[in-house]
Every structure is written in structure tokens, then in C-alpha cells.
Short mmCIF file of all heavy atoms in Angstrom, two decimals:
data_model
loop_
_atom_site.label_atom_id
_atom_site.label_comp_id
_atom_site.label_asym_id
_atom_site.label_seq_id
_atom_site.Cartn_x
_atom_site.Cartn_y
_atom_site.Cartn_z
N ASN A 1 129.65 53.59 66.81
CA ASN A 1 128.95 54.64 67.55
C ASN A 1 129.93 55.66 68.10
O ASN A 1 129.79 56.14 69.23
CB ASN A 1 128.11 54.05 68.69
CG ASN A 1 127.14 53.00 68.23
OD1 ASN A 1 126.55 53.12 67.16
ND2 ASN A 1 126.97 51.96 69.03
N THR A 2 130.90 56.01 67.30
CA THR A 2 132.00 56.83 67.76
C THR A 2 132.30 57.95 66.77
O THR A 2 132.24 57.74 65.56
CB THR A 2 133.26 55.97 67.97
OG1 THR A 2 132.99 54.96 68.94
CG2 THR A 2 134.43 56.82 68.45
N ILE A 3 132.61 59.12 67.31
CA ILE A 3 133.12 60.20 66.49
C ILE A 3 134.53 60.54 66.95
O ILE A 3 134.93 60.24 68.07
CB ILE A 3 132.24 61.46 66.53
CG1 ILE A 3 132.23 62.09 67.93
CG2 ILE A 3 130.83 61.14 66.05
CD1 ILE A 3 131.66 63.50 67.94
N TYR A 4 135.26 61.19 66.06
CA TYR A 4 136.63 61.55 66.32
C TYR A 4 136.86 63.00 65.95
O TYR A 4 136.15 63.57 65.13
CB TYR A 4 137.59 60.67 65.51
CG TYR A 4 137.38 59.19 65.69
CD1 TYR A 4 136.52 58.49 64.84
CD2 TYR A 4 138.01 58.50 66.71
CE1 TYR A 4 136.32 57.13 65.00
CE2 TYR A 4 137.81 57.14 66.88
CZ TYR A 4 136.97 56.46 66.03
OH TYR A 4 136.76 55.11 66.19
N LEU A 5 137.86 63.57 66.56
CA LEU A 5 138.31 64.89 66.17
C LEU A 5 139.82 64.82 66.01
O LEU A 5 140.56 64.74 67.00
CB LEU A 5 137.93 65.94 67.21
CG LEU A 5 138.26 67.39 66.82
CD1 LEU A 5 137.40 67.83 65.64
CD2 LEU A 5 138.08 68.33 68.00
N GLN A 6 140.26 64.83 64.77
CA GLN A 6 141.68 64.85 64.47
C GLN A 6 142.14 66.29 64.46
O GLN A 6 141.66 67.09 63.64
CB GLN A 6 141.96 64.19 63.12
CG GLN A 6 143.42 64.20 62.70
CD GLN A 6 144.29 63.36 63.60
OE1 GLN A 6 143.95 62.22 63.91
NE2 GLN A 6 145.41 63.91 64.04
N MET A 7 143.04 66.63 65.35
CA MET A 7 143.51 67.99 65.50
C MET A 7 144.97 68.06 65.08
O MET A 7 145.83 67.44 65.70
CB MET A 7 143.34 68.46 66.95
CG MET A 7 141.91 68.36 67.46
SD MET A 7 141.72 68.99 69.15
CE MET A 7 142.62 67.72 70.05
N ASN A 8 145.22 68.81 64.03
CA ASN A 8 146.57 69.00 63.52
C ASN A 8 146.99 70.45 63.69
O ASN A 8 146.16 71.34 63.86
CB ASN A 8 146.65 68.61 62.04
CG ASN A 8 146.35 67.15 61.80
OD1 ASN A 8 146.63 66.29 62.63
ND2 ASN A 8 145.78 66.86 60.63
N SER A 9 148.28 70.68 63.62
CA SER A 9 148.83 72.03 63.74
C SER A 9 148.27 72.76 64.94
O SER A 9 147.83 73.91 64.86
CB SER A 9 148.56 72.82 62.45
OG SER A 9 149.12 72.18 61.33
N LEU A 10 148.31 72.10 66.07
CA LEU A 10 147.71 72.66 67.27
C LEU A 10 148.43 73.93 67.71
O LEU A 10 149.65 74.05 67.59
CB LEU A 10 147.72 71.63 68.39
CG LEU A 10 146.64 70.56 68.28
CD1 LEU A 10 146.95 69.37 69.17
CD2 LEU A 10 145.28 71.16 68.64
N LYS A 11 147.64 74.86 68.23
CA LYS A 11 148.13 76.13 68.71
C LYS A 11 147.82 76.28 70.19
O LYS A 11 146.88 75.67 70.68
CB LYS A 11 147.47 77.28 67.94
CG LYS A 11 147.62 77.21 66.43
CD LYS A 11 146.82 78.31 65.76
CE LYS A 11 146.94 78.24 64.26
NZ LYS A 11 146.13 79.31 63.59
N PRO A 12 148.58 77.10 70.90
CA PRO A 12 148.26 77.31 72.31
C PRO A 12 146.84 77.78 72.54
O PRO A 12 146.24 77.42 73.57
CB PRO A 12 149.28 78.38 72.73
CG PRO A 12 150.44 78.14 71.85
CD PRO A 12 149.85 77.74 70.52
N GLU A 13 146.28 78.54 71.62
CA GLU A 13 144.92 79.01 71.77
C GLU A 13 143.88 77.91 71.61
O GLU A 13 142.69 78.13 71.85
CB GLU A 13 144.61 80.16 70.80
CG GLU A 13 144.98 79.87 69.36
CD GLU A 13 146.33 80.45 68.99
OE1 GLU A 13 147.29 80.31 69.79
OE2 GLU A 13 146.44 81.04 67.90
N ASP A 14 144.30 76.72 71.20
CA ASP A 14 143.41 75.56 71.17
C ASP A 14 143.25 74.93 72.55
O ASP A 14 142.42 74.03 72.71
CB ASP A 14 143.92 74.51 70.19
CG ASP A 14 143.90 74.98 68.75
OD1 ASP A 14 142.91 75.63 68.35
OD2 ASP A 14 144.86 74.68 68.02
N THR A 15 144.03 75.37 73.50
CA THR A 15 143.94 74.83 74.86
C THR A 15 142.55 75.06 75.43
O THR A 15 142.07 76.19 75.48
CB THR A 15 145.00 75.46 75.76
OG1 THR A 15 146.30 75.11 75.29
CG2 THR A 15 144.84 74.99 77.20
N ALA A 16 141.92 73.98 75.85
CA ALA A 16 140.56 74.06 76.38
C ALA A 16 140.13 72.68 76.84
O ALA A 16 140.79 71.68 76.57
CB ALA A 16 139.59 74.57 75.30
N VAL A 17 139.00 72.65 77.52
CA VAL A 17 138.31 71.39 77.76
C VAL A 17 137.41 71.15 76.57
O VAL A 17 136.59 72.00 76.22
CB VAL A 17 137.49 71.42 79.06
CG1 VAL A 17 136.73 70.11 79.24
CG2 VAL A 17 138.40 71.66 80.26
N TYR A 18 137.56 70.00 75.96
CA TYR A 18 136.78 69.65 74.79
C TYR A 18 135.64 68.72 75.19
O TYR A 18 135.86 67.71 75.85
CB TYR A 18 137.66 68.99 73.73
CG TYR A 18 138.52 69.98 72.98
CD1 TYR A 18 139.58 70.61 73.62
CD2 TYR A 18 138.26 70.30 71.66
CE1 TYR A 18 140.36 71.54 72.96
CE2 TYR A 18 139.04 71.22 70.99
CZ TYR A 18 140.09 71.84 71.63
OH TYR A 18 140.86 72.75 70.97
N TYR A 19 134.44 69.08 74.76
CA TYR A 19 133.24 68.33 75.11
C TYR A 19 132.62 67.71 73.87
O TYR A 19 132.48 68.36 72.84
CB TYR A 19 132.20 69.24 75.77
CG TYR A 19 132.64 69.83 77.09
CD1 TYR A 19 133.28 71.06 77.15
CD2 TYR A 19 132.39 69.16 78.28
CE1 TYR A 19 133.68 71.60 78.36
CE2 TYR A 19 132.77 69.70 79.49
CZ TYR A 19 133.42 70.92 79.53
OH TYR A 19 133.80 71.45 80.73
N CYS A 20 132.24 66.48 74.00
CA CYS A 20 131.46 65.80 72.98
C CYS A 20 129.99 66.05 73.23
O CYS A 20 129.54 66.10 74.39
CB CYS A 20 131.77 64.31 73.00
SG CYS A 20 130.89 63.32 71.78
N ALA A 21 129.22 66.20 72.17
CA ALA A 21 127.79 66.44 72.30
C ALA A 21 127.03 65.69 71.22
O ALA A 21 127.57 65.36 70.17
CB ALA A 21 127.49 67.94 72.21
N ALA A 22 125.76 65.46 71.50
CA ALA A 22 124.89 64.78 70.55
C ALA A 22 123.47 65.28 70.71
O ALA A 22 123.07 65.69 71.80
CB ALA A 22 124.94 63.26 70.75
N GLY A 23 122.71 65.22 69.63
CA GLY A 23 121.32 65.62 69.69
C GLY A 23 120.69 65.69 68.31
O GLY A 23 121.39 65.66 67.30
N PRO A 24 119.38 65.80 68.29
CA PRO A 24 118.70 65.90 67.00
C PRO A 24 118.93 67.25 66.36
O PRO A 24 119.26 68.23 67.03
CB PRO A 24 117.22 65.71 67.38
CG PRO A 24 117.14 66.21 68.79
CD PRO A 24 118.45 65.84 69.42
N GLY A 25 118.74 67.30 65.07
CA GLY A 25 118.92 68.54 64.35
C GLY A 25 120.37 68.81 64.02
O GLY A 25 121.25 67.95 64.16
N SER A 26 120.64 70.03 63.62
CA SER A 26 121.96 70.40 63.15
C SER A 26 122.90 70.90 64.24
O SER A 26 124.10 71.01 64.01
CB SER A 26 121.85 71.48 62.06
OG SER A 26 121.23 72.65 62.57
N TYR A 27 122.36 71.20 65.41
CA TYR A 27 123.15 71.71 66.52
C TYR A 27 122.95 70.81 67.73
O TYR A 27 121.94 70.91 68.42
CB TYR A 27 122.75 73.15 66.84
CG TYR A 27 123.70 73.87 67.76
CD1 TYR A 27 124.84 74.49 67.25
CD2 TYR A 27 123.46 73.93 69.12
CE1 TYR A 27 125.71 75.15 68.09
CE2 TYR A 27 124.33 74.59 69.97
CZ TYR A 27 125.45 75.20 69.45
OH TYR A 27 126.32 75.87 70.28
N PRO A 28 123.91 69.93 68.03
CA PRO A 28 123.72 68.95 69.10
C PRO A 28 123.88 69.58 70.48
O PRO A 28 124.93 70.16 70.79
CB PRO A 28 124.82 67.92 68.82
CG PRO A 28 125.89 68.71 68.14
CD PRO A 28 125.18 69.73 67.31
N ASN A 29 122.86 69.45 71.29
CA ASN A 29 122.94 69.96 72.65
C ASN A 29 122.10 69.17 73.65
O ASN A 29 121.91 69.62 74.77
CB ASN A 29 122.54 71.44 72.70
CG ASN A 29 121.11 71.69 72.27
OD1 ASN A 29 120.39 70.77 71.90
ND2 ASN A 29 120.70 72.94 72.32
N ALA A 30 121.60 68.02 73.25
CA ALA A 30 120.76 67.22 74.14
C ALA A 30 121.58 66.38 75.12
O ALA A 30 121.15 66.16 76.25
CB ALA A 30 119.84 66.32 73.33
N TYR A 31 122.74 65.92 74.71
CA TYR A 31 123.59 65.07 75.53
C TYR A 31 125.01 65.58 75.46
O TYR A 31 125.48 66.03 74.41
CB TYR A 31 123.53 63.61 75.07
CG TYR A 31 122.13 63.05 75.00
CD1 TYR A 31 121.44 63.01 73.81
CD2 TYR A 31 121.51 62.58 76.15
CE1 TYR A 31 120.14 62.51 73.75
CE2 TYR A 31 120.22 62.08 76.10
CZ TYR A 31 119.54 62.04 74.90
OH TYR A 31 118.26 61.54 74.85
N TRP A 32 125.69 65.46 76.60
CA TRP A 32 127.06 65.97 76.70
C TRP A 32 127.96 64.97 77.38
O TRP A 32 127.55 64.26 78.30
CB TRP A 32 127.09 67.28 77.49
CG TRP A 32 126.41 68.41 76.80
CD1 TRP A 32 125.11 68.77 76.90
CD2 TRP A 32 127.02 69.35 75.90
NE1 TRP A 32 124.85 69.87 76.11
CE2 TRP A 32 126.00 70.24 75.50
CE3 TRP A 32 128.31 69.51 75.42
CZ2 TRP A 32 126.25 71.30 74.62
CZ3 TRP A 32 128.56 70.55 74.54
CH2 TRP A 32 127.54 71.44 74.15
#
């Protein structure tokens, strides 16, 4: 029940708070 995000060649512009999300359909926004 786990997803991953492998981030390579990171750039300073990748700096951010990263949020996991889930939901029905193609755009998950029901749970954060």
C-alpha cells in the first residue's frame, strides 16, 4: 500500500514540500 518517488538529478528548483495524495479518478485530491 505504498508509492514511491525516486528523484534523480535533483535541482535547487526542486526544493519544496512534497505531498502525497490519493483519490478516485485520474487526479488524486481526496486524501493528502
Side-chain angles (χ1 to χ4, degrees):
N1 305 322
T2 300
I3 66 166
Y4 306 92
L5 185 67
Q6 178 66 47
M7 303 183 291
N8 297 329
S9 301
L10 282 163
K11 305 174 181 179
E13 50 263 44
D14 294 319
T15 296
V17 177
Y18 284 70
Y19 296 91
C20 180
S26 61
Y27 193 84
N29 63 358
Y31 305 98
W32 293 90

